[in-house]
Every structure is written in C-alpha cells, then in structure tokens.
Amino acid sequence: MSADLANATTAQDSASPPPLPSVPRPLTSYVSGRMIAVIGVLVAVLAVLTGTSGGKLLSATNLGGALDASSEVGFIAIGVTMLMIGGEFDLSVGQVFVVGGLAFAGLDKHIGFLPAIIVTLLLAGAIGLINGIITVVFGIPSFITTLGTYYAIAGFILLITGASPVSYLPPLPHVFSVFSAHVGGLGFRWEVVWWIGLAAVAAWILHRTSFGNHVFAAGGSPEAARGTGVRVGLTKIVLFVACSALSAFSGIVLFCHLGSMEVTAGSGLQLQAIAAAVIGGTALFGGVGTIFGGVLGSFFLGVLTVGLVLSGASTQYYELFVGIVLIGAVIAQVKTVGASRFVHALFRRNSGR
Amino acid sequence: MESSATQRTDGALTAVVGNPPASAPEDRRETGVPGPSEAGPAALELRRISKRFGQVVAVRDVSFSLGHGEVVALLGDNGAGKSTVVKMISGVFAPTSGEIRLDGQAVRFRNSKQARERGIATVYQDLALVPTMNVWRNFFLGSELRHRGRLDVKRMRAETAQALHEIGLRNLSSVDQEVKGLSGGERQALSIGRAVHFQQRVLLLDEPTAALSVKETEKVFDYVRQARQSGIGILLIMHNTVQALSVSDRVVVMRHGEVAAEFAVGGDLEALAKQVNLAISGAA
Ligand SMILES: Nc1ncnc2c1ncn2[C@@H]1O[C@H](COP(=O)(O)OP(=O)(O)O)[C@@H](O)[C@H]1O
Ligand SMILES: [Mg+2]
C-alpha cells in the first residue's frame, strides 16, 4: 500500500529473529483415521465375500471385473465428491450418464469417435451449467434443482428413444478398445486406468490449486469464502459442469464396453455415487472429503457387486446395502453436526455471485 | 478499573520493548494523540454519513476518523447504529448521504468486494474463517500463492507461521491444524494477522472479544497492539467500556444513530470510563 507501510513491515521483518517455528506436517494431513477405518472395513468385506464365493473373488479376472464395475460409478463419484465438498448435490447424474451413452452412440457414426466424445461432453456440460445456474442464481437447493432435471431428462430420453435401448451390432469399432481392452494380463480394462487417471487429476486440482481451495471453502463456509473474495457461485457452477461431464463420460465408456445403452441404465446411479463418496469420508453437508475416498468407496461398491454375484447371492442385497449406507451416513452426520445444521445444509439457499 | 489502567500501561510497554527498532508508526504513537491532525490524511474518514431504512434513520450525520496505526473503539448501546456504520464502511450498503474517505480520497463502494479491494478488512464474529479448513489454507484463502500454476504450499505454510508469530501467536502447534480446533482468541489472531500480512488499510473488528475469557481477551488486545505497529487503522466495535479503554487510542460513542461524544484515551482511565458510560447512557 503506502510506502511507509511497506517500510514498517520490512523493518520489523529484519528485526525479528529468523522466525520460522518448525512446521512439521502431521501424518493426519495425509491419511485420516476415518480413511484407515474405511480401508479396514473394505478388507473385511473382501474377506467375507472371498469366503462366501469360495475364494473365486480373489482371482485376477474377478478382481479385475470388480475394478471394471467400480469405474462405472467411479467416474461419477469423482464429480459427485467434488460437488459435495463444495456443498451441493447432483441427483441428475444417473440420467446424464444415459444421455452420455446415447448421445455418443448417435454421434459416433456420423462425426467420428473423438468429435462424438467432445460434443457429448459439451452437451453434458450444458446440462451441468443449467443445474448450476438454477441452483446458484435462483437460490434453489441443488437437491431440488437436480431432482427436477433428473425427471425432465428421463422424460426427454423416453420421448426421443421410445424407451428402446440403443445398440451397435458387433464387432464394435476398434477404437472403442481405448476404454474396453484389457490391460496386459491384469484382468481389468483400460477404463479403470482412465478412471484412476481422472481421479488423480481431480485430486490434484482439489488439493493443489486455488480453485480446489475455493471448493473446500464454498462448502465449509460460503459466508467466510465470500468474505475473502472467493467467487462461491462461480465455483459451484464449475463443479456442476464437471460433475455432469464426468457422468456423461462414464456413459460413453460403458457404451464402448458393452456396445449398448439401456434407457434405464442410470436409475439409482446418483445414490450409488453419493454412497461411494460418503463411504470414503465425504461429508453430506460440505467442506470435507477426498477424491481418494470417493475412489475407495466406488471400489467398495464394485467389490460388493461382483462378490455378491460370485456368492450366488441376489444382487438386491446391493441396493439394500446402498440404502443402509446412506441412512447410516445421515444418522452419523446428524449426530455430529446436529439435525438443524444438516437440514439447513441440505436445503441451503445460494445467494447470487 | 484500577487494573485496567495498569494493563494498558503494561501492554504499551510490552509493545515497545518487543519491537526495539522504532519504526515510523511507533514514533507517531509516542508523540501523543495520533490522528488526522498528523502528517498525511487519515486512513479512514467519515464525513457526515447517514443511513435511512425507509422511515427509520439508523445513522445520522456521523463523522469521525481513523488514523494509520490508530485504534479506535466504537461504543454504544444496542441499536445505537454501530453495525450500520461498519456495514457502510465495508461496502455492504451505501450511505444515504455523506462521504467516506480513504487516505483523503472520497470513495463509493457498490459492494463489499470493492471495499475489500480498497484495503478494508472486516471480521465478523464466526463468519470470518472456514472451520473445516486448516490454518494456512484459511490464511491465504482468496489470495493463494501460486508457483507455476499450482499452490505454493511450502511458502504459504511458512508465511502463515511467520505472520502468526509476528502478531504474537507463538504457541500454535501446527499451521496444518483445522480452524475448528482453535480457540476464539487464536481465530482472532488468524484474522488480524491476515489483515496485517496483506497490508490492509483498515481493519474492522465486530465484537472481537464477545465470547472470550478475560485471559483470551487480553491476548486478542495484544494482537491488536501488535497489528497497529504495521500502520493499519483498527476500528473495534465494543460494548465493554473498560476493555475498550485498555486497548484503544480513542473512543467514539454513538447514541440513537449519532455520535454522542468522542474521547482521547489517556490520564485517569477510571474517571474516563465513568464519563464514557454516561455518554453511552445519554446522561451526560
Ligand atoms: N436493514 C435494516 N432495516 C431497517 N432498520 C435497520 C436495519 N439495520 C439496522 N436497522 C435499525 O438501525 C438502528 C441501528 O442498528 P444497528 O446499526 O444494528 O445498531 P448496533 O449495531 O449499534 O446495535 C436500529 O434501530 C435498527 O433497528
Ligand atoms: Mg450491532
């Protein structure tokens, strides 16, 4: 500011002893106790399912299959985790996932693989933009905004497709193998590599960029964030766009893998993604969470799916489990933050900017 | 009462001893009453600002100034108009009439962002920090240091530790600690240290000691004294007269939206406190 101000500060700097109190970095800043607990439970569930499946779960093929299954929710969970850290929900991701697969399938034949991906992601981004703008500009809780877009998109999909699935006749285009080919002899597909790669990028953005800092602040205390000049609304809108794009990407990847997309394939995915985030330690009320946790949570769900199938158990148990996890998480968090704070966060209204 | 006078002297002494190479603001403080009469314009000057809400005149013709390195306490009963004055300074809303000057230059803020950009830091109770984020991330929130596009974590951690050390917070175990776990006084240190570090012109503290113990309050006042050395002007909204006199250079008393009285702090603080309280209650 003024010259004498600057001088005063420098004079003080040189006068005080070379300050630096050591700033040791505590281990807890890398791995939380909660994460260790989650890993423990994951290992336990893995052990139980290994037993009930007669050891089959531990084969490279089946663990690889579990990883493949994880990536479907996993891509979406990356976006949902970031959005939840930023203090918002997206319930429309299940339908955006279907839109991703369908739009890609329709476009690929006409404009080619890469352009089809790009246009599909732009389309999904536009949906995210709409979610974000309705939520931020009109101050509507995202819980409600995205439930609305969920049904609107579902209706739109049925109108366009007449409810019939979209499929390619085999053989699938060779280029699809960038996602669907198996990696070496490892039992899992390249989609898993893409998933982990994107998760690493997201984690880097979240923890190592200003934008990431603003995401945590927007979810932790929007008032304090605004007070220091963080553009909370804009930050959230970007998150909605990223979340939609990741969901559509998951749909694209699934289409490349299976060569078809059912119009109902996305129902329930939104809650699975939230469950994955929550299992990994992401708070339902914003400000707390890690991408690593979301990846771990997704893997947990993937292992569960494959493990139940191998154990000959009904896959309905999976839905039962997701439901229990969500209710359990709500109870746990209501107990720690209080019901009123929780309801407040769930129905938080955003003021502009 | 008696003790508060002693505390004030102690505090001033500590500040001087703790900072041997007397810098410019230090000289000014020793020469007597600081303020706009000193060389150069005041950091902040209010000229007859008023604020109406419909029929209600919340603030009427309020004028006072805040010098560089000066601490002014704004006192008054509930409803006197203190918060409204602070909100006009911090750009939350514009005065209905009157003028706000920063370093002699008239300014008009359309929102709090503009005020912040002109060097006005406002610390509202409980809303200033993100409890779920750690100390250094809070310290640099909105002004992150970057190196080749990525956060310069090492520098931010070191600068945070240094700034907190300078403001007088010496026993914080780690800058990686979540703010959630800090005491009220430590949080104030963080907010005050941040304003000083980013060389803000004016720091507005709304009831900074409202929820604090006596011991913590004393610490926060030490941070305020330390911050003033950097040349920042500090406006404290207070309701405890004795506490206000122990830390400030001047007090401005508001009543029914107007400035009822203004006092330079010095001499017999016990007698002064009585006078100030009379002004607050309107009996003077
Ligand atoms: N937004 C507002 N609308 C209407 N009246 C207000 C508003 N804000 C403050 N007031 C009125 O202005 C007067 C001063 O309030 P305030 O500045 O909050 O006083 P203090 O902070 O000293 O307690 C009070 O009578 C209050 O009711
Ligand atoms: Mg008030």
Side-chain angles (χ1 to χ4, degrees), chain B residues 1-47:
Chain B
M1 294 286 197
E2 189 55 38
S3 72
S4 82
T6 333
Q7 276 168 3
R8 148 93 179 137
T9 326
D10 286 354
L13 270 176
T14 329
V16 174
V17 172
N19 227 15
S23 49
E26 186 62 33
D27 290 339
R28 178 164 41 197
R29 222 162 51 78
E30 281 171 342
T31 54
V33 187
S37 55
E38 299 285 326
L44 169 74
E45 188 184 356
L46 306 183
R47 292 191 173 180

Side-chain angles (χ1 to χ4, degrees), chain A residues 9-317:
Chain A
T9 327
T10 359
Q12 204 174 34
D13 282 355
S14 51
S16 55
L20 249 4
S22 62
V23 276
R25 192 156 182 191
L27 200 62
T28 49
S29 75
Y30 294 101
V31 194
S32 68
R34 167 138 193 185
M35 198 61 75
I36 293 166
V38 169
I39 292 172
V41 173
L42 178 62
V43 170
V45 169
L46 199 62
V48 169
L49 289 171
T50 303
T52 54
S53 68
K56 280 184 281 185
L57 182 58
L58 285 188
S59 77
T61 320
N62 288 328
L63 270 184
L67 274 169
D68 290 347
S70 309
S71 70
E72 185 182 327
V73 179
F75 285 115
I76 303 175
I78 295 170
V80 166
T81 300
M82 289 205 285
L83 196 53
M84 283 173 70
I85 293 171
E88 301 295 342
F89 289 99
D90 188 349
L91 299 182
S92 72
V93 292
Q95 298 303 336
V96 176
F97 166 85
V98 177
V99 167
L102 295 179
F104 169 76
L107 288 164
D108 175 63
K109 276 181 283 204
H110 302 292
I111 61 175
F113 182 72
L114 200 56
I117 290 181
I118 292 168
V119 174
T120 302
L121 294 183
L122 288 176
L123 176 69
I127 297 173
L129 193 62
I130 292 170
N131 280 336
I133 288 175
I134 294 175
T135 301
V136 169
V137 177
F138 296 100
I140 294 171
S142 53
F143 189 75
I144 292 172
T145 307
T146 57
L147 193 60
T149 47
Y150 177 91
Y151 281 107
I153 299 168
F156 187 74
I157 290 171
L158 289 180
L159 276 177
I160 297 280
T161 61
S164 47
V166 173
S167 309
Y168 279 10
L169 292 174
L172 295 177
H174 182 257
V175 63
F176 284 13
S177 63
V178 295
F179 298 130
S180 62
H182 282 89
V183 179
L186 294 174
F188 59 86
R189 297 165 190 262
W190 277 99
E191 63 198 35
V192 174
V193 176
W194 281 88
W195 169 43
I196 300 301
L198 282 175
V201 171
W204 185 84
I205 290 172
L206 214 43
H207 298 287
R208 286 292 176 266
T209 67
S210 303
F211 175 77
N213 221 30
H214 298 174
V215 171
F216 280 98
S221 171
E223 304 83 8
R226 280 193 198 97
T228 56
V230 170
R231 298 207 277 187
V232 173
L234 185 65
T235 302
K236 289 183 173 187
I237 290 174
V238 171
L239 289 177
F240 275 109
V241 170
C243 187
S244 270
L246 281 160
S247 305
F249 192 72
S250 185
I252 294 171
V253 169
L254 186 78
F255 188 85
C256 290
H257 181 157
L258 298 180
S260 77
M261 175 62 86
E262 302 270 350
V263 293
T264 55
S267 68
L269 264 180
Q270 63 280 5
L271 293 183
Q272 293 174 39
I274 294 174
V278 163
I279 291 169
T282 298
L284 285 167
F285 54 88
V288 176
T290 59
I291 297 293
F292 179 61
V295 167
L296 215 56
S298 305
F299 182 56
F300 194 102
L301 294 179
V303 166
L304 196 67
T305 315
V306 173
L308 286 173
V309 171
L310 292 174
S311 306
S314 162
T315 50
Q316 308 301 314
Y317 282 111

Side-chain angles (χ1 to χ4, degrees), chain B:
Chain B
M1 294 286 197
E2 189 55 38
S3 72
S4 82
T6 333
Q7 276 168 3
R8 148 93 179 137
T9 326
D10 286 354
L13 270 176
T14 329
V16 174
V17 172
N19 227 15
S23 49
E26 186 62 33
D27 290 339
R28 178 164 41 197
R29 222 162 51 78
E30 281 171 342
T31 54
V33 187
S37 55
E38 299 285 326
L44 169 74
E45 188 184 356
L46 306 183
R47 292 191 173 180
R48 304 192 60 178
I49 59 167
S50 302
K51 181 70 191 177
R52 280 174 175 276
F53 295 104
Q55 293 297 330
V56 185
V57 183
V59 168
R60 187 196 304 268
D61 287 339
V62 164
S63 303
F64 65 85
S65 64
L66 175 65
H68 289 283
E70 190 184 24
V71 180
V72 170
L74 193 55
L75 292 165
D77 275 341
N78 275 337
K82 306 181 296 291
S83 296
T84 306
V85 166
V86 167
K87 284 176 185 163
M88 285 189 278
I89 301 170
S90 62
V92 174
F93 38 62
T96 314
S97 64
E99 197 174 76
I100 298 175
R101 287 174 168 254
L102 294 180
D103 283 314
Q105 194 189 357
V107 289
R108 213 169 166 78
F109 304 132
R110 296 213 329 276
N111 50 47
S112 51
K113 184 169 175 247
Q114 290 185 348
R116 199 167 45 236
E117 284 166 359
R118 294 299 300 268
I120 297 191
T122 315
V123 179
Y124 294 108
Q125 196 79 46
D126 288 337
L127 295 179
L129 301 167
V130 183
T132 48
M133 292 174 82
N134 71 25
V135 170
W136 70 260
R137 282 185 186 269
N138 264 286
F139 195 91
F140 280 95
L141 184 58
S143 314
E144 292 85 357
L145 299 179
R146 276 170 295 189
H147 179 67
R148 293 191 188 143
R150 50 179 298 209
L151 292 181
D152 194 342
V153 177
K154 206 174 138 198
R155 224 176 104 208
M156 285 191 282
R157 293 168 83 245
E159 285 191 18
T160 302
Q162 156 133 27
L164 293 178
H165 185 84
E166 278 171 12
I167 204 73
L169 182 60
R170 303 282 156 89
N171 52 3
L172 194 70
S173 62
S174 161
V175 293
D176 291 300
Q177 206 176 331
E178 278 184 0
V179 161
K180 213 162 42 183
L182 300 187
S183 70
E186 288 167 338
R187 289 176 198 215
Q188 291 293 338
L190 189 45
S191 297
I192 296 169
R194 186 162 68 178
V196 171
H197 184 81
F198 290 104
Q199 301 191 5
Q200 302 291 291
R201 201 188 300 259
V202 171
L203 173 60
L204 306 172
L205 293 171
D206 195 3
E207 300 271 359
T209 60
L212 303 186
S213 67
V214 176
K215 209 177 142 201
E216 286 238 292
T217 297
E218 218 13 76
K219 275 193 201 153
V220 169
F221 287 170
D222 282 339
Y223 306 142
V224 168
R225 293 182 188 109
Q226 197 59 46
R228 141 221 272 166
Q229 309 280 322
S230 75
I232 193 170
I234 303 173
L235 184 64
L236 299 167
I237 315 302
M238 305 274 295
H239 63 228
N240 183 323
T241 304
V242 173
Q243 283 186 359
L245 292 181
S246 77
V247 70
S248 50
D249 301 306
R250 272 189 303 134
V251 297
V252 174
V253 177
M254 283 189 70
R255 216 165 67 79
H256 299 326
E258 299 182 67
V259 172
E262 204 177 314
F263 302 90
V265 177
D268 181 351
L269 291 188
E270 199 176 334
L272 182 58
K274 281 191 185 128
Q275 262 182 289
V276 171
N277 282 334
L278 285 176
I280 291 173
S281 64

